[in-house]
Amino acid sequence: MKRIAALIGRTAVSCWHHGSPHLPPLPAWTPGPPYTCPQIRHLAAKQNKGQFKGQKIKSKPVKLEKQQKQEVEIKQRMTVSELAKAMNKDIDHVYEALLNTDVILDEMEPDTMLEEKWIKEAVKRSGMKHKWAKLVETKVRENKDIQRQPPPDPAQLVPRAPVVTIMGHVDHGKTTLLDSLRKSQIAAQEAGGITQHIGAFRVELPSADDGVMNQTTESIQHAKKAKVPIIVAVNKCDKPQADPQRVKEELVGHDVICEEFGGEIQAIHVSALKGDNLLELAEATVTLAEVLELKGDPTGLVEGTVIESRSDKGKGPVTTAIIQRGTLRKGCTLVAGKCWAKVRFMFDEYDQTVSEAGPSIPVEIVGWKDLPSAGEEILEVESEQRAREVVEWRSYMEEQDKMKEDLQAIEAKQKQHQESYKKDRESMAHLSWRQRRAALYRANKHKLSHRLSEKTETEELTLPIIVKGDVDGSVEAILNILESYDADDQCELDVVHFGVGDISERDINLAETFSGTIYGFNVAANKSVQQMAAKKGIPLRLHRVIYKLIDDLKDELSSKLTPSTEENIIGEASVLATFDVTVGKKKIPVAGCRVQKGQLDKKMKFRLIRGRNILWEGSVTTLKHLKDDVLTVKTGMECGLSLDNEELEYKPGDEIICYSESEIKQKISWDPGF
């Protein structure tokens, strides 16, 4: 609407200056000439009478030079800026040329793609003519992507170690179990003893005292979807209230049938904290691996998967990966998504350098040019040049896909607008063009006047946030939780930016632009950044436990909601009689009442009810017991009262309700599952 209003104003000014001829100022009044205009013409004709008698007057035709229209080279599809450049005009000229068409000017940007008919229309309205640009034969780009190798020769396969994933509900002992199995101190280094990162060492881990919880169910679903075998480790069996049998019975309801119930899934009772039965769990894992006959190919080009990625101050972009095929060595050139690496160093889980890593081995890789996302496929290529070709091709294909999506969205929006425009035109077909113009102006003026208030209301019900995490896997986990947000009808949650690394000044400036909040997980904000955030009023919410971060986010979302009003009935009274009291020269109606329930409090709100209809709501101006002014009247007592509306007429049998209102904070309905 702002763009349309600006263009209309600009057009009006243009017409004022250029649309009408320049008129000289009128001279002051002077006496009339001795002859009128017809008399002058008569005298002139009489004087020249016979001068040209017998002569033929030949008039020479005046040749009017035809104005040459400017030619504009057009293509089937052009952006607004491309068309403006071809016309040698500014972008506003194109907007002005498309005024009063089906094109939505408010949604148009310089890089918006225009259809052929609108390109021609803009050229035509500009007093120009179009010609098609010469078609340049574009070569189809060769697919430079890389794919996985064909399956290896079975003769090349060698036994490999199993890759075990420990999954389960929050605080069911996954970190402690992993710590005990790997003889490390991971749990002691993490906040609250809760694992925040992925350990590359599928074991389902329900707690014997809690049973099968929400995330236990999700873990089972993930394992079934991936079609991987399951081992059940019932943890915390050392607790007095532990009931492993109940846990295994609950698992049957999720189609996880343990061996003692006739199934094929092993169930081990363990205590990760005390180390009970961990050897049995390890033996069960090894036995299952032997039965599955797990093998891998250590030869050929490397293939693997990014498990986690982070930015290290000393090492730069670092990824944790599991090798699935081939043997990774220093100097290998890798591609993952739109990132590539020349391997400089490799580290194991104890931060010790390693020279090579074969199938099933987790390893930290240093040497990435950019930070790939967790879950990306790692493939080895022959050279750095080949890696650049693959990355360029993938970036190009992503741009092409985005352009197609944008074009489809634009076409759908234009189609919707055209249908709406056509409907509006049909509804005004019986009006004259002046009436139509007036009707459209009134409609647009109404929308423009309400735009500011609508925007303010929307801003109040929106929470923009920025998410920063220490590693890519943490950010991905938080974003996956946020994807389950389903309370947009209460308050819209808008993730304006997310990334890996400590809070920076750029994050503060971005949060200020969107009036948002920054949520950080396992990251820090230096003193200057904290001072900058405090000065600009940007909330920094830093956490080391994911579910505490989500709880904090839920609280902030709830604070955005408008509190609901709860009504509490304090007392009820019935009108027994009515009479008037003279105060000065005015007669004030008074209701004589008896309190039936509770008490009447002069400070509270009152309501007058007759039958089922509410006649009035407000406050009491006078409350008397006998002849004394009082603040409260209790049950069984009689009183006289007058309300702040002197025009009300009381009737015996009316009910007067005394009540109070209190605000109750609403809670967001979103349930992330923990």
Side-chain angles (χ1 to χ4, degrees), residues 41 55 94 121 226 228 248 259 288 406 448 454 542 661:
R41 285 199 299 271
Q55 295 183 16
V94 179
E121 184 69 18
V228 294
K248 289 183 283 187
E259 288 176 333
L288 181 59
D406 291 346
L448 189 62
E454 287 173 2
L542 307 180
E661 289 181 342

Side-chain angles (χ1 to χ4, degrees), residues 602-667:
K602 188 179 179 182
K603 297 178 182 178
M604 299 301 168
K605 295 183 178 181
F606 285 78
R607 179 181 297 131
L608 178 62
I609 299 175
R610 183 172 298 158
R612 294 184 178 180
N613 300 321
I614 298 175
L615 302 183
W616 165 89
E617 286 183 339
S619 58
V620 168
T621 55
T622 306
L623 180 63
K624 289 193 175 187
H625 176 61
L626 300 177
K627 294 183 179 181
D628 300 324
D629 289 322
V630 292
L631 293 176
T632 60
V633 181
K634 297 182 178 179
T635 305
M637 297 175 66
E638 294 183 352
C639 64
L641 57 83
S642 59
L643 308 177
D644 59 6
N645 187 346
E646 297 177 1
E647 296 179 0
L648 278 173
E649 293 183 1
Y650 312 110
K651 289 184 179 180
D654 288 349
E655 291 183 26
I656 293 178
I657 307 296
C658 176
Y659 66 96
S660 65
E661 289 181 342
S662 58
E663 289 188 347
I664 299 177
K665 292 183 178 180
Q666 292 192 65
K667 287 190 175 181

Side-chain angles (χ1 to χ4, degrees), residues 240-260:
Q241 66 271 30
D243 189 357
Q245 194 68 19
R246 177 176 67 90
V247 174
K248 289 183 283 187
E249 289 173 358
E250 289 177 359
L251 288 172
V252 173
H254 297 279
D255 202 24
V256 177
I257 304 171
C258 300
E259 288 176 333
E260 61 185 275

Side-chain angles (χ1 to χ4, degrees), residues 173-204:
K174 297 182 293 296
T175 302
T176 310
L177 178 61
L178 188 62
D179 175 44
S180 299
L181 289 172
R182 297 193 309 181
K183 305 294 183 184
S184 65
Q185 297 299 321
I186 293 176
Q189 297 172 6
E190 292 188 346
I194 297 173
T195 308
Q196 313 299 338
H197 301 134
I198 300 168
F201 161 68
R202 207 153 290 266
V203 175
E204 299 300 334

Side-chain angles (χ1 to χ4, degrees), residues 312-330:
D312 189 278
K313 290 182 179 179
K315 301 174 183 176
V318 179
T319 63
T320 303
I322 288 184
I323 308 305
Q324 296 169 305
R325 186 175 179 180
T327 301
L328 182 65
R329 296 181 177 88
K330 185 178 177 180

